[in-house]
Amino acid sequence: MASTKSRFNIELLLGISATFLSLAALVVSIFQTKIAREQQDASVWPYVQADYTKANDSFVWNVVNNGIGPAVIKSTSLRYQGKAYKDAYELINEQIQHLSETTSKGKTAHVNFFYGGLSRGNVIKSEGEIKLGEITGNESIAETMLHIVQDTSYHFTVVYSDVYGNCWQLDQDNVTALGKCDHK
């Protein structure tokens, strides 16, 4: 009878050991999958920033992707002194008109003005950029635009995603991870 009892204990011990090893393999597999997913996400991570450059009589306003994957634009918003603007063109044009009225007695100030847009669905490739505006030929307007983007009442926000649907938000100079985007 002693041999049956020791055999029962060995079988029980082998069964418990097999169950433990199976659970350990499952845990390792879950961690490996998690690490692989994080590596996959990191391999396409976009990092969007606003870039403002003022030199002499020019001001250039770009949105730049300094990440390693493309950035898909989900939404943008632009506010200055509590007023919402539909795009950079509207803000820059308003400032040109305002400066013309105050300095030239109603005569439009001379300025070369280029506008590019950023809207839902645009894609900024890795190390790519989209020019939102460029002003040349007028020191006053270039200086005014620099002061606007440095003002605390100025808020430029871009929500963007990677190719897997992970979202981030650029708000001024801060980038915040938002998790998964809604697929609207």
Side-chain angles (χ1 to χ4, degrees):
M1 199 147 167
S3 66
T4 308
K5 195 172 190 179
S6 71
R7 193 172 110 186
F8 178 73
N9 287 339
I10 291 174
E11 289 175 0
L12 180 62
L13 185 59
L14 287 174
I16 290 172
S17 297
T19 303
F20 176 75
L21 289 174
S22 296
L23 286 174
L26 177 64
V27 169
V28 168
S29 177
I30 290 170
F31 278 121
Q32 284 179 328
T33 301
K34 182 179 182 267
I35 290 169
R37 177 66 183 180
E38 288 171 355
Q39 288 175 332
Q40 181 182 16
D41 287 347
S43 71
V44 297
W45 180 46
Y47 188 74
V48 172
Q49 295 176 299
D51 179 47
Y52 311 103
T53 306
K54 158 82 175 66
N56 299 325
D57 66 349
S58 68
F59 176 82
V60 180
W61 182 359
N62 292 317
V63 176
V64 180
N65 179 4
N66 289 319
I68 55 176
V72 181
I73 304 304
K74 297 296 184 181
S75 67
T76 63
S77 70
L78 177 60
R79 297 186 68 76
Y80 176 60
Q81 295 182 337
K83 180 179 177 184
Y85 294 87
K86 73 175 185 182
D87 54 31
Y89 173 80
E90 187 177 27
L91 173 63
I92 294 171
N93 194 45
E94 180 180 280
Q95 296 307 310
I96 290 171
Q97 294 302 319
H98 176 72
L99 197 60
S100 294
E101 291 169 5
T102 59
T103 60
S104 305
K105 297 181 175 106
K107 196 172 164 187
T108 303
H110 173 73
V111 62
N112 299 315
F113 177 36
F114 167 81
Y115 166 74
L118 183 66
S119 59
R120 180 178 177 85
N122 286 146
V123 176
I124 307 173
K125 67 180 183 173
S126 175
E127 300 301 322
E129 68 184 30
I130 292 180
K131 187 177 289 189
L132 296 184
E134 180 176 8
I135 296 169
T136 59
N138 192 304
E139 173 73 28
S140 296
I141 293 173
E143 191 68 34
T144 298
M145 289 308 301
L146 179 64
H147 287 298
I148 287 171
V149 299
Q150 293 174 339
D151 191 321
T152 57
S153 69
Y154 168 82
H155 294 280
F156 179 59
T157 305
V158 178
V159 176
Y160 61 96
S161 74
D162 63 16
V163 296
Y164 297 122
N166 300 307
C167 273
W168 293 268
Q169 176 176 295
L170 164 69
D171 187 4
Q172 300 306 84
D173 293 328
N174 301 316
V175 175
T176 306
L178 300 177
K180 287 288 185 185
C181 295
D182 58 0
H183 295 288
K184 292 181 182 177

